[in-house]
Amino acid sequence: KMLSAKQLPFASVHVHPGSHAGYFPGAKSVNFKLLFHPTTGQIWGAQAVGEEGVEKRIDVISTAMQGNLTVEDLAELELCYAPPVGSAKDPVNIAGMAATNVLEGLVEQVDWKELKKAASLPGVVILDVRNPGEIEKSGPLIEGCNAKTINIPLDNLRARVGEIPADTERIIVSCASGQRAYYASRI
């Protein structure tokens, strides 16, 4: 709200990685939002919600802002890697990578608040790259949306890419956290 009030241009990314290495028991989701200048990559701020480790991620962002680092710098930071407390790619790194991809034009994001509206436009196909068990557990991506939705789990996408209609004007790729959707968009 403050960036809008000051009429400062900004973009944001939302990522939801684990608090530590996923193969180590007890990892919790970290819901992380990073705000940045859409052309320079200057970091405007961040918000994080989770059960563990969010304070250290916000401390890293605060330090990065003080040091005039950019989102590209966040992607390259060397942070603690110890399976019980941190992944090889920390949530800060993942947010930096996602923001860098937006900055470089590698992906066009659809904000979660705009997903239903974007999905209802003509010529849109939703590509859901979640696994069938996830869909059974959490349901459809967008309730009450008439957009054509195709489920192809990320692990099967290369073999099944021909199932995506070639005449599609816009494909919105989605998953539970955004990470697999990004990987899918790069295939």
Side-chain angles (χ1 to χ4, degrees), residues 66-84:
Q66 281 293 120
N68 294 316
L69 300 183
T70 65
V71 295
E72 291 105 329
D73 297 320
L74 293 181
E76 301 298 326
L77 286 178
E78 291 292 334
L79 300 171
C80 175
Y81 170 58

PDB file of all heavy atoms in Angstrom, residues 66-84:
ATOM      1  N   GLN A  66      19.672  -2.513   3.197  1.00  0.00           N
ATOM      2  CA  GLN A  66      20.672  -1.570   3.716  1.00  0.00           C
ATOM      3  C   GLN A  66      21.922  -1.548   2.833  1.00  0.00           C
ATOM      4  O   GLN A  66      22.551  -0.511   2.665  1.00  0.00           O
ATOM      5  CB  GLN A  66      21.079  -1.960   5.141  1.00  0.00           C
ATOM      6  CG  GLN A  66      20.100  -1.542   6.204  1.00  0.00           C
ATOM      7  CD  GLN A  66      20.026  -0.043   6.356  1.00  0.00           C
ATOM      8  OE1 GLN A  66      18.965   0.524   6.169  1.00  0.00           O
ATOM      9  NE2 GLN A  66      21.107   0.618   6.679  1.00  0.00           N
ATOM     10  N   GLY A  67      22.264  -2.707   2.292  1.00  0.00           N
ATOM     11  CA  GLY A  67      23.459  -2.813   1.451  1.00  0.00           C
ATOM     12  C   GLY A  67      23.203  -2.530  -0.015  1.00  0.00           C
ATOM     13  O   GLY A  67      24.076  -2.740  -0.852  1.00  0.00           O
ATOM     14  N   ASN A  68      21.986  -2.068  -0.352  1.00  0.00           N
ATOM     15  CA  ASN A  68      21.618  -1.760  -1.740  1.00  0.00           C
ATOM     16  C   ASN A  68      21.782  -2.946  -2.682  1.00  0.00           C
ATOM     17  O   ASN A  68      22.139  -2.782  -3.855  1.00  0.00           O
ATOM     18  CB  ASN A  68      22.394  -0.555  -2.263  1.00  0.00           C
ATOM     19  CG  ASN A  68      22.004   0.709  -1.539  1.00  0.00           C
ATOM     20  OD1 ASN A  68      20.816   0.958  -1.315  1.00  0.00           O
ATOM     21  ND2 ASN A  68      22.994   1.490  -1.131  1.00  0.00           N
ATOM     22  N   LEU A  69      21.509  -4.140  -2.182  1.00  0.00           N
ATOM     23  CA  LEU A  69      21.527  -5.319  -3.046  1.00  0.00           C
ATOM     24  C   LEU A  69      20.272  -5.326  -3.899  1.00  0.00           C
ATOM     25  O   LEU A  69      19.279  -4.670  -3.577  1.00  0.00           O
ATOM     26  CB  LEU A  69      21.612  -6.592  -2.211  1.00  0.00           C
ATOM     27  CG  LEU A  69      22.827  -6.760  -1.305  1.00  0.00           C
ATOM     28  CD1 LEU A  69      22.784  -8.123  -0.613  1.00  0.00           C
ATOM     29  CD2 LEU A  69      24.130  -6.587  -2.058  1.00  0.00           C
ATOM     30  N   THR A  70      20.304  -6.100  -4.972  1.00  0.00           N
ATOM     31  CA  THR A  70      19.148  -6.234  -5.863  1.00  0.00           C
ATOM     32  C   THR A  70      18.606  -7.657  -5.772  1.00  0.00           C
ATOM     33  O   THR A  70      19.205  -8.521  -5.127  1.00  0.00           O
ATOM     34  CB  THR A  70      19.543  -5.948  -7.321  1.00  0.00           C
ATOM     35  OG1 THR A  70      20.459  -6.971  -7.749  1.00  0.00           O
ATOM     36  CG2 THR A  70      20.167  -4.567  -7.480  1.00  0.00           C
ATOM     37  N   VAL A  71      17.499  -7.890  -6.460  1.00  0.00           N
ATOM     38  CA  VAL A  71      16.933  -9.242  -6.455  1.00  0.00           C
ATOM     39  C   VAL A  71      17.905 -10.248  -7.063  1.00  0.00           C
ATOM     40  O   VAL A  71      17.955 -11.402  -6.637  1.00  0.00           O
ATOM     41  CB  VAL A  71      15.557  -9.298  -7.155  1.00  0.00           C
ATOM     42  CG1 VAL A  71      14.536  -8.472  -6.384  1.00  0.00           C
ATOM     43  CG2 VAL A  71      15.616  -8.867  -8.602  1.00  0.00           C
ATOM     44  N   GLU A  72      18.695  -9.798  -8.038  1.00  0.00           N
ATOM     45  CA  GLU A  72      19.702 -10.703  -8.618  1.00  0.00           C
ATOM     46  C   GLU A  72      20.717 -11.110  -7.554  1.00  0.00           C
ATOM     47  O   GLU A  72      21.172 -12.253  -7.525  1.00  0.00           O
ATOM     48  CB  GLU A  72      20.435 -10.053  -9.796  1.00  0.00           C
ATOM     49  CG  GLU A  72      19.579  -9.852 -11.029  1.00  0.00           C
ATOM     50  CD  GLU A  72      19.183  -8.390 -11.220  1.00  0.00           C
ATOM     51  OE1 GLU A  72      19.037  -7.649 -10.217  1.00  0.00           O
ATOM     52  OE2 GLU A  72      18.997  -7.997 -12.374  1.00  0.00           O
ATOM     53  N   ASP A  73      21.084 -10.184  -6.682  1.00  0.00           N
ATOM     54  CA  ASP A  73      22.016 -10.498  -5.598  1.00  0.00           C
ATOM     55  C   ASP A  73      21.411 -11.509  -4.626  1.00  0.00           C
ATOM     56  O   ASP A  73      22.117 -12.394  -4.130  1.00  0.00           O
ATOM     57  CB  ASP A  73      22.414  -9.233  -4.841  1.00  0.00           C
ATOM     58  CG  ASP A  73      23.156  -8.225  -5.709  1.00  0.00           C
ATOM     59  OD1 ASP A  73      23.999  -8.639  -6.530  1.00  0.00           O
ATOM     60  OD2 ASP A  73      22.894  -7.019  -5.562  1.00  0.00           O
ATOM     61  N   LEU A  74      20.114 -11.379  -4.349  1.00  0.00           N
ATOM     62  CA  LEU A  74      19.463 -12.333  -3.444  1.00  0.00           C
ATOM     63  C   LEU A  74      19.570 -13.755  -3.976  1.00  0.00           C
ATOM     64  O   LEU A  74      19.777 -14.701  -3.213  1.00  0.00           O
ATOM     65  CB  LEU A  74      17.980 -11.994  -3.253  1.00  0.00           C
ATOM     66  CG  LEU A  74      17.620 -10.709  -2.530  1.00  0.00           C
ATOM     67  CD1 LEU A  74      16.101 -10.581  -2.429  1.00  0.00           C
ATOM     68  CD2 LEU A  74      18.261 -10.647  -1.162  1.00  0.00           C
ATOM     69  N   ALA A  75      19.427 -13.902  -5.278  1.00  0.00           N
ATOM     70  CA  ALA A  75      19.496 -15.234  -5.889  1.00  0.00           C
ATOM     71  C   ALA A  75      20.862 -15.880  -5.686  1.00  0.00           C
ATOM     72  O   ALA A  75      20.972 -17.108  -5.647  1.00  0.00           O
ATOM     73  CB  ALA A  75      19.166 -15.142  -7.377  1.00  0.00           C
ATOM     74  N   GLU A  76      21.898 -15.065  -5.542  1.00  0.00           N
ATOM     75  CA  GLU A  76      23.271 -15.579  -5.443  1.00  0.00           C
ATOM     76  C   GLU A  76      23.827 -15.601  -4.021  1.00  0.00           C
ATOM     77  O   GLU A  76      24.974 -16.007  -3.822  1.00  0.00           O
ATOM     78  CB  GLU A  76      24.191 -14.731  -6.328  1.00  0.00           C
ATOM     79  CG  GLU A  76      23.801 -14.718  -7.796  1.00  0.00           C
ATOM     80  CD  GLU A  76      23.854 -16.101  -8.438  1.00  0.00           C
ATOM     81  OE1 GLU A  76      24.733 -16.915  -8.055  1.00  0.00           O
ATOM     82  OE2 GLU A  76      23.009 -16.385  -9.308  1.00  0.00           O
ATOM     83  N   LEU A  77      23.069 -15.166  -3.033  1.00  0.00           N
ATOM     84  CA  LEU A  77      23.572 -15.138  -1.661  1.00  0.00           C
ATOM     85  C   LEU A  77      23.940 -16.540  -1.178  1.00  0.00           C
ATOM     86  O   LEU A  77      23.250 -17.513  -1.467  1.00  0.00           O
ATOM     87  CB  LEU A  77      22.525 -14.561  -0.707  1.00  0.00           C
ATOM     88  CG  LEU A  77      22.285 -13.063  -0.746  1.00  0.00           C
ATOM     89  CD1 LEU A  77      21.179 -12.691   0.237  1.00  0.00           C
ATOM     90  CD2 LEU A  77      23.543 -12.282  -0.437  1.00  0.00           C
ATOM     91  N   GLU A  78      25.017 -16.622  -0.425  1.00  0.00           N
ATOM     92  CA  GLU A  78      25.405 -17.871   0.239  1.00  0.00           C
ATOM     93  C   GLU A  78      24.874 -17.807   1.664  1.00  0.00           C
ATOM     94  O   GLU A  78      25.369 -17.037   2.480  1.00  0.00           O
ATOM     95  CB  GLU A  78      26.927 -18.024   0.238  1.00  0.00           C
ATOM     96  CG  GLU A  78      27.520 -18.284  -1.132  1.00  0.00           C
ATOM     97  CD  GLU A  78      27.152 -19.657  -1.700  1.00  0.00           C
ATOM     98  OE1 GLU A  78      26.877 -20.587  -0.914  1.00  0.00           O
ATOM     99  OE2 GLU A  78      27.130 -19.782  -2.933  1.00  0.00           O
ATOM    100  N   LEU A  79      23.852 -18.600   1.938  1.00  0.00           N
ATOM    101  CA  LEU A  79      23.242 -18.621   3.264  1.00  0.00           C
ATOM    102  C   LEU A  79      23.451 -20.003   3.890  1.00  0.00           C
ATOM    103  O   LEU A  79      23.874 -20.935   3.216  1.00  0.00           O
ATOM    104  CB  LEU A  79      21.752 -18.277   3.154  1.00  0.00           C
ATOM    105  CG  LEU A  79      21.462 -16.893   2.558  1.00  0.00           C
ATOM    106  CD1 LEU A  79      19.977 -16.716   2.288  1.00  0.00           C
ATOM    107  CD2 LEU A  79      21.975 -15.791   3.474  1.00  0.00           C
ATOM    108  N   CYS A  80      23.170 -20.119   5.168  1.00  0.00           N
ATOM    109  CA  CYS A  80      23.405 -21.351   5.911  1.00  0.00           C
ATOM    110  C   CYS A  80      22.729 -22.547   5.249  1.00  0.00           C
ATOM    111  O   CYS A  80      21.531 -22.529   4.981  1.00  0.00           O
ATOM    112  CB  CYS A  80      22.885 -21.194   7.339  1.00  0.00           C
ATOM    113  SG  CYS A  80      22.999 -22.702   8.315  1.00  0.00           S
ATOM    114  N   TYR A  81      23.520 -23.576   4.995  1.00  0.00           N
ATOM    115  CA  TYR A  81      22.955 -24.850   4.541  1.00  0.00           C
ATOM    116  C   TYR A  81      23.273 -25.912   5.577  1.00  0.00           C
ATOM    117  O   TYR A  81      24.417 -26.312   5.755  1.00  0.00           O
ATOM    118  CB  TYR A  81      23.498 -25.272   3.182  1.00  0.00           C
ATOM    119  CG  TYR A  81      23.097 -26.693   2.819  1.00  0.00           C
ATOM    120  CD1 TYR A  81      21.756 -27.048   2.752  1.00  0.00           C
ATOM    121  CD2 TYR A  81      24.049 -27.674   2.596  1.00  0.00           C
ATOM    122  CE1 TYR A  81      21.364 -28.341   2.458  1.00  0.00           C
ATOM    123  CE2 TYR A  81      23.671 -28.981   2.277  1.00  0.00           C
ATOM    124  CZ  TYR A  81      22.331 -29.301   2.220  1.00  0.00           C
ATOM    125  OH  TYR A  81      21.945 -30.591   1.932  1.00  0.00           O
ATOM    126  N   ALA A  82      22.260 -26.302   6.291  1.00  0.00           N
ATOM    127  CA  ALA A  82      22.315 -27.415   7.230  1.00  0.00           C
ATOM    128  C   ALA A  82      20.901 -27.988   7.218  1.00  0.00           C
ATOM    129  O   ALA A  82      19.955 -27.269   7.546  1.00  0.00           O
ATOM    130  CB  ALA A  82      22.705 -26.945   8.622  1.00  0.00           C
ATOM    131  N   PRO A  83      20.718 -29.231   6.783  1.00  0.00           N
ATOM    132  CA  PRO A  83      19.365 -29.766   6.572  1.00  0.00           C
ATOM    133  C   PRO A  83      18.343 -29.484   7.670  1.00  0.00           C
ATOM    134  O   PRO A  83      17.192 -29.203   7.355  1.00  0.00           O
ATOM    135  CB  PRO A  83      19.606 -31.266   6.382  1.00  0.00           C
ATOM    136  CG  PRO A  83      20.971 -31.309   5.765  1.00  0.00           C
ATOM    137  CD  PRO A  83      21.755 -30.207   6.443  1.00  0.00           C
ATOM    138  N   PRO A  84      18.715 -29.483   8.958  1.00  0.00           N
ATOM    139  CA  PRO A  84      17.678 -29.203   9.964  1.00  0.00           C
ATOM    140  C   PRO A  84      17.221 -27.742  10.000  1.00  0.00           C
ATOM    141  O   PRO A  84      16.167 -27.444  10.547  1.00  0.00           O
ATOM    142  CB  PRO A  84      18.344 -29.557  11.301  1.00  0.00           C
ATOM    143  CG  PRO A  84      19.577 -30.306  10.964  1.00  0.00           C
ATOM    144  CD  PRO A  84      19.963 -29.928   9.575  1.00  0.00           C
TER     145      PRO A  84
END
